[in-house]
Amino acid sequence: MSAPEVVLEGKIILAGEFHDVCIGIDDGLITVIGKDLKGDRHIDMSRFLILPGGVDIHTHMREPGYTHKEDLYSGTMAAALGGTTTILDMPNTNPPANTYVALEEKMSMASWNSNVDFGLYAGLTPSANVSVLAELALGYKIYMAGTTNAPPITQDEIAELMANDDLAGKVVAFHAEDPLLFGDEENTGLATHDRNRSAKAENSAIQFLSTLDTKAILHVTHVTNAEGLAMCGGMSTEVSPHHLFLNMEHGIQQFAKVLPPIRNEETRHGLFSAFAQGSVGIVASDHAPHTLEEKGEDFGEAPAGLPGVETRIPLMLAMAKKADIPLGLVQETCCRNPAQLFNIPKGQIELGYDADLAVYDMGDIRTIRTDDLHYKCGWTPFEGHEAIFPKLVMLHGEIIAKDGEMELERIGRRVEQRD
Ligand code: DOR
Ligand code: ZN
């Protein structure tokens, strides 16, 4: 066998243990993993940790329609510089990605502009032609309470949609909140926001999902509380860093306004403990940027949503180091499990997988500063939090980012599912 084109040497985590290895890469794929491999090009990262490139299955890159907040180019640059090499984009853009034509247009924009690999969700509406959308969408999204460009859908409509056999084996992601249980207090701060869109309303929606008769794979996005998580049973689960790390006593008020809401410290702590015990399937950012000006409105007027694609893995790594949580858990929830849910050849350092890799110096803990991030919106809810950013990021065996700077842009491709 000839020498691999590229060899990346470093430490990887296998079954919870660190191993010093050389990863051989040919044609963008991992072709050999061994000791002392010689390649045409050798990248010595032997002192550092290599993780699979991150897979963030919940992002709103805002293109088309809201490119003053973010676009596919800026959002995927932020992803890359935070160690994420695959993103899935949500459908509540403008026009919404609910039709073949809208998906095709978004696909074409992403093919030109994306700095990481990408997949798209189709918004699932009562009139959707599921099999046509499946040609372009990796999964489907349903907003049970409605949101911008996704009108509310009733439980009867959801039950009917989910009985469609065209959804067999497909991932349907749910924003789980039951609008029938929403409060109507004047929304003046994080506490009223939490009361109006309570964990009770969230858990009622989760309870409904658990009763659905369907052949689809159900995924519950951004669960905010441990009780709700436990109610997910056999469904796929996701939590977001803002629900793990922020509470509603947080000083940033409308900047932390998000749906579902940030909860109180007790609930946050319960969610974090569930994560630490291995009860969470996937950590996804729900990167949903709005501009400083938009977020600067009064609490009631400010749009819900906050950015997070660049800080997701860096925050999780610094937390794991500090809280003595196994790095393997971060690797599983941020890389492997999300890739497995969608059956894409990513998120693992394994033969035949895409050579999407990120290298970290675990001693290099930094403080997050907006000025060091790459979002168009120009702010982060995690200012001052500790984080470990990647030293080197590879996509398909090419170095796309090094020491916080992009090296190679716009080489992201549409992700393909494994056979
Ligand atoms: O806070 C949120 N922001 N929740 C959503 O469901 C949508 C998102 C957005 O697109 O801004
Ligand atoms: Zn979202």
Side-chain angles (χ1 to χ4, degrees), residues 58 60 62 92 141 143 146-148 175 222 257-260 286 288-290 303-306:
H58 193 154
H60 300 260
R62 305 300 195 202
N92 62 330
K141 178 74 183 278
Y143 288 91
T147 189
T148 317
H175 179 121
H222 45 47
K257 182 180 177 187
V258 64
L259 291 170
D286 192 8
H290 298 283
L306 37 83

